[in-house]
DNA sequence: CTTGACCTTCACATTAATGGCAAGGTTTAC
DNA sequence: GTAAACCTTGCCATTAATGTGAAGGTCAAG
């Protein structure tokens, strides 16, 4: 699959797919002509990357979070996984979940109060 | 409380506190000499802002999320709260929680597998 | 074999959040 | 009253993620 196809399937601009490769979180093959060649799992992976970026993670953190989950990386990479970094990121993720849950509850409460006093139901 | 005091209490640089005012998510008073004057609740608010920024929210989103929770804003602002925006942001927060929970679980599982195979316990 | 659509790399622009500095006013302490 | 420490505004720099365009190679269709 060429970069344009992957862009179409994921909704992520080719420019960004090249960027993700540059920062080391996407690892396409190359076909003879020099074109990047992506496997089917790249679709899932790109979506994963987008989710994490939109959740405020940097590409550096993502590089630690997506260690051996590389599409075409077989067992060799297993050696290079930084377990401590991964544990750190796990802590990060958990802290963020706490923050978001607190804020979710706060917003919900706030909305409920408002919807009661103004007599507006939540379905628009 | 002057900007330096707030910076000391929150660990957030004065430069940023001014920035947060500029983008409309912090609203200090002004004392006669032109100095910004913050109330005690500003401490909590700044920490809240930091949490949300670190969770990947933009100042634009935060402006919608922290509506009437303004430190010194009494009931007048009640009129200006954008409930629809708030509901959108609630959806945002909930989506992010889902993403993070999925990733937390994935990382946890991954770590468990690794800690089993390598015989390493999780306490360092 | 030429045209158009794709790909390559390279480079510069932009936006948001942040850091830093400079020139000048204020307050505190000696 | 003078110096140090703080405040003000204004501007310019940086970083990460992203947009965009140029100059050129590849490929499929006519």
């Amino acid at each position: 699959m060429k970069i344009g196809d992957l862009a179409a399937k994921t909704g992520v601009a080719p420019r960004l797919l090249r960027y993700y490769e540059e920062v080391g979180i996407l690892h396409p093959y190359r076909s003879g002509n020099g074109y990047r060649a992506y496997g089917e799992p790249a679709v899932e992976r790109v979506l994963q990357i987008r989710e994490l970026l939109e959740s405020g993670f940097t590409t550096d953190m993502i590089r630690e979070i997506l260690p051996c989950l590389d599409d075409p990386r077989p067992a060799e990479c297993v050696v290079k996984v930084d377990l401590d970094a991964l544990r750190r990121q796990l802590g990060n993720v958990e802290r963020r979940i706490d923050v978001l849950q607190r804020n979710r509850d706060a917003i919900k409460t706030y909305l409920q109060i408002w919807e009661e006093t103004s007599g507006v139901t939540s379905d628009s």
Side-chain angles (χ1 to χ4, degrees), chain A:
Chain A
M1 169 169 34
K2 288 187 290 184
I3 199 172
D5 305 324
L6 183 57
K9 285 194 191 179
T10 59
V12 176
R15 171 69 178 85
L16 280 188
L17 298 176
R18 300 196 188 98
Y19 175 67
Y20 298 155
E21 178 182 7
E22 186 187 329
V23 297
I25 59 183
L26 247 193
H27 312 284
Y29 304 103
R30 293 292 177 138
S31 31
N33 49 15
Y35 287 16
R36 290 169 180 81
Y38 301 88
E40 209 42 62
V43 176
E44 189 72 21
R45 185 179 176 87
V46 167
L47 295 178
Q48 181 86 354
I49 290 173
R50 288 306 314 166
E51 278 186 345
L52 289 171
L53 278 175
E54 278 157 22
S55 292
F57 290 84
T58 65
T59 54
D60 286 337
M61 302 163 84
I62 294 176
R63 198 178 317 107
E64 295 184 334
I65 290 179
L66 302 181
C68 269
L69 309 180
D70 279 359
D71 345 86
R73 292 285 183 82
E76 352 126 6
C77 79
V78 145
V79 202
K80 297 164 58 183
V81 177
D82 186 341
L83 284 186
D84 283 334
L86 202 52
R87 276 190 270 263
R88 264 202 331 273
Q89 295 305 338
L90 177 58
N92 255 325
V93 174
E94 285 175 334
R95 237 169 300 123
R96 284 181 192 220
I97 291 176
D98 286 346
V99 168
L100 293 186
Q101 283 177 341
R102 279 208 317 282
N103 278 280
R104 177 198 56 190
D105 294 344
I107 297 177
K108 264 183 158 166
T109 305
Y110 190 81
L111 277 174
Q112 275 169 12
I113 292 173
W114 250 102
E115 281 157 359
E116 284 167 16
T117 49
S118 63
V120 177
T121 60
S122 65
D123 45 47
S124 58

